């Protein structure tokens, strides 16, 4: 797996990119949901490593981070999760009976977390482990263009995509960010934090046009999207659609890993159909 796998994920058409908070409500549910999302046709799956101060997130994902941390989810827990779903293991203990094995998840996977998590773990060590378990890219939403090299340079050494965000507040920096984009450009749909929205006031067409002038890297729009109609509208503007809070909320409400997988598998199929 590598950053080129992320770009290839857009080759088959518009991409549906779901996000999950790892460890909420538990790591077994996360594993089941990741498999269900992959089977439903997700082009890329974003895995959120929980952090105590997720500044880009709204209440739904903030609360999911709190629950995941309270439940004992660590960065190493998430690395083990990826290892297991890549290997086709049903659990996260490193062992499984052959009869219980499931199909390995081959969908490109991207970590979304915060700089403190990576820095505390050790940037080189973190990137090396990403390669070992099969993660293709990294998103650190609070790291600005001017400060990204500390992380992006190490990602580059390991053939990992350091994925950049363009926000409505990026203004005169949009094209500077886009010129250095890898994997895909994460276009933030609205001012504020993540969370489901009814309306979108940002002139996304104008931002997309600016990005297109300087790069052919795919563009995926995220923040606030939760319904098939919204996904269809956003996919018409860009190359992909990212959905987080709506997925995290449904995972948290599920009574069991199987129920979460069934519910989110059906939801993902509807979203995949909408974006395409």
């Amino acid at each position: 797996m590598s950053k080129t796998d992320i770009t290839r994920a857009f080759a088959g058409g518009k991409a549906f990119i779901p996000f999950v908070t790892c460890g909420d409500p538990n790591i077994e549910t996360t594993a089941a949901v990741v498999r269900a999302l992959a089977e439903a046709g997700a082009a890329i799956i974003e895995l959120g490593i929980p952090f105590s101060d997720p500044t880009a997130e709204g209440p739904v994902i903030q609360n999911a981070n709190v629950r995941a941390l309270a439940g004992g989810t660590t960065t190493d827990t998430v690395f083990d999760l990826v290892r297991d779903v890549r290997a086709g293991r049903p659990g996260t203990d490193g062992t499984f009976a052959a009869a219980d094995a499931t199909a390995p998840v081959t969908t490109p996977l991207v970590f979304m977390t915060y700089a403190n998590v990576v820095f505390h773990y050790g940037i080189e060590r973190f990137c090396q482990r990403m390669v070992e378990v099969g993660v293709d890219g990294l998103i650190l939403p609070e790291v600005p263009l001017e400060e990204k090299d500390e992380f992006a340079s190490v990602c580059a050494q390991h053939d990992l995509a350091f994925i950049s965000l363009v926000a409505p507040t990026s203004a005169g920096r949009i094209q500077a960010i886009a010129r250095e984009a890898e994997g895909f450009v994460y276009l933030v749909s609205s001012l504020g934090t993540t969370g489901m929205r009814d309306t979108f006031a940002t002139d996304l067409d104008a931002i997309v046009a600016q990005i297109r002038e300087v790069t052919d890297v795919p563009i995926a729009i995220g923040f606030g999207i939760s319904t098939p109609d919204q996904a269809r509208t956003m996919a018409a503007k860009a190359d992909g659609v990212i959905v987080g809070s709506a997925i995290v909320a449904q995972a948290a409400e599920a009574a069991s890993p199987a129920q979460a997988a069934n519910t989110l598998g059906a939801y993902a199929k509807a979203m995949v159909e909408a974006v395409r």
Side-chain angles (χ1 to χ4, degrees):
M1 313 299 287
S2 68
K3 63 185 178 185
T4 56
D5 290 308
I6 297 175
T7 303
R8 288 195 198 104
F10 293 86
K14 305 284 184 170
F16 172 60
I17 306 174
F19 167 92
V20 296
T21 299
C22 294
D24 180 52
N26 51 62
I27 207 69
E28 292 77 18
T29 296
T30 304
V33 168
V34 168
R35 292 189 186 94
L37 294 171
E39 291 172 4
I44 298 165
I45 300 173
E46 291 184 10
L47 303 174
I49 299 178
F51 178 54
S52 58
D53 189 22
T55 54
E57 314 297 355
V60 170
I61 299 179
Q62 283 186 11
N63 291 336
N65 276 256
V66 170
R67 291 191 297 267
L69 291 171
T73 301
T74 66
T75 303
D76 280 323
T77 305
V78 179
F79 278 122
D80 290 345
L81 163 74
V82 176
R83 177 201 64 200
D84 290 340
V85 298
R86 285 295 196 211
R89 296 186 180 119
T92 57
D93 61 357
T95 62
F96 66 103
D100 295 329
T102 56
V105 171
T106 59
T107 303
L109 301 175
V110 172
F111 278 156
M112 184 168 180
T113 189
Y114 290 82
N116 194 37
V117 172
V118 181
F119 189 81
H120 178 74
Y121 199 88
I123 302 171
E124 171 65 32
R125 177 176 171 233
F126 189 93
C127 290
Q128 181 60 46
R129 286 225 63 193
M130 286 175 67
V131 173
E132 289 171 358
V133 300
V135 182
D136 305 277
L138 177 64
I139 304 170
L140 301 177
E142 88 281 35
V143 174
L145 174 67
E146 296 79 7
E147 298 175 17
K148 78 171 193 174
D149 190 60
E150 182 175 15
F151 302 95
S153 61
V154 183
C155 284
Q157 292 169 17
H158 293 279
D159 197 28
L160 301 167
F162 188 82
I163 296 165
S164 302
L165 281 78
V166 168
T169 53
S170 298
R173 303 166 69 250
I174 291 173
Q175 292 190 332
I177 296 169
R179 283 191 188 96
E180 298 185 15
E182 297 179 328
F184 64 88
V185 175
Y186 191 133
L187 174 52
V188 176
S189 70
S190 310
L191 296 172
T193 57
T194 59
M196 293 168 274
R197 291 176 171 80
D198 294 325
T199 59
F200 301 85
T202 303
D203 186 354
L204 295 170
D205 292 326
I207 298 176
V208 168
Q210 289 189 60
I211 295 171
R212 299 280 196 219
E213 287 179 4
V214 298
T215 185
D216 294 328
V217 171
I219 303 167
I221 301 175
F223 280 45
I225 302 163
S226 61
T227 69
D229 284 344
Q230 290 175 338
R232 188 176 298 108
T233 298
M234 293 300 178
K237 300 177 183 293
D239 304 295
V241 172
I242 302 165
V243 176
S245 293
I247 289 170
V248 171
Q250 292 178 73
E253 293 169 359
S256 68
Q259 184 185 69
N262 289 336
T263 298
L264 284 164
Y267 175 80
K269 287 179 182 177
M271 297 298 271
V272 168
E273 291 174 3
V275 302
R276 291 181 177 171

